[in-house]
Amino acid sequence: MRRDRLRLGVSWVHWSLFDEQVLRVEDALGPGRPVVFRLPRSYHDAWIVRGGFKVRVWDWLTVYAGAGWDQSPVPPETLEASLYDGDKVGMSLGAVLVPWEHLRLTVGYNHFYYSTQEVARSRQQPSANGRYDGAVDILHTNVEFFF
């Protein structure tokens, strides 16, 4: 029996609640002498749009593909290399194989492309001024055994 599925998702995330990040290290300078780091974040709210389809070709094979866009909540002035984030576009392809009823194998590939960010007025210390861009490729596999 062939079963095709088409999915679309849209989300809004209330990131603006995340104004700063506070890290506290107790007794860092001796008993009762903590060190406190306050890192500005000033995130803004963001949208996420994702869609995809899945086609069951045969009882033992399903293929899927998808694409999406995530808006970054990080403003340029609080962007940093250790926690880099920019608007990103992602794509995925994969297959699910069921050679018998007790075993399912999944293999997939994801590619994420991050838009270029220019930072000229960094609020980070030390300054994070510069140009940021990136891409990520992920190959994943999964084996499930049912008993």
Side-chain angles (χ1 to χ4, degrees), residues 99-105 142-147:
W100 70 87
E101 65 180 320
H102 298 289
L103 181 67
R104 181 169 36 213
L105 309 168
N142 186 340
V143 177
E144 295 176 86
F145 183 70
F146 302 95
F147 54 92

Side-chain angles (χ1 to χ4, degrees), residues 7 11 28 31 45-46 49 52 63 67 69 74 82 86 88 91 97 100 108 117 121-123 136 142:
R7 295 181 184 201
S11 301
D45 299 335
V49 179
V63 295
W69 169 76
V74 182
S82 66
K88 58 191 154 297
M91 296 167 279
L97 300 139
W100 70 87
Q117 293 269 24
R121 293 182 176 88
S122 176
R123 291 175 41 203
V136 176
N142 186 340

Side-chain angles (χ1 to χ4, degrees), residues 11-88:
S11 301
W12 175 80
V13 184
H14 193 37
W15 281 107
S16 59
L17 295 173
F18 194 36
D19 188 50
E20 73 176 354
Q21 184 176 8
V22 179
L23 304 171
R24 182 181 175 100
V25 181
E26 295 296 333
D27 301 330
L29 301 173
R33 298 182 61 201
V35 172
V36 179
F37 298 96
R38 293 188 180 279
L39 306 171
R41 295 296 181 213
S42 303
Y43 287 3
H44 58 80
D45 299 335
W47 290 93
I48 301 169
V49 179
R50 294 186 182 137
F53 68 91
K54 182 165 58 168
V55 177
R56 188 175 195 177
V57 180
W58 296 291
D59 286 344
W60 58 272
L61 176 65
T62 300
V63 295
Y64 63 87
W69 169 76
D70 289 14
Q71 182 184 28
S72 174
V74 182
E77 55 274 0
T78 63
L79 189 70
E80 60 176 293
S82 66
L83 191 60
Y84 173 65
D85 192 23
D87 289 357
K88 58 191 154 297

Side-chain angles (χ1 to χ4, degrees), residues 79 81 84 113-120 128-134:
L79 189 70
Y84 173 65
Y113 168 76
Y114 289 83
S115 65
T116 300
Q117 293 269 24
E118 295 283 344
V119 178
N129 287 345
R131 180 183 172 140
Y132 296 81
D133 60 18

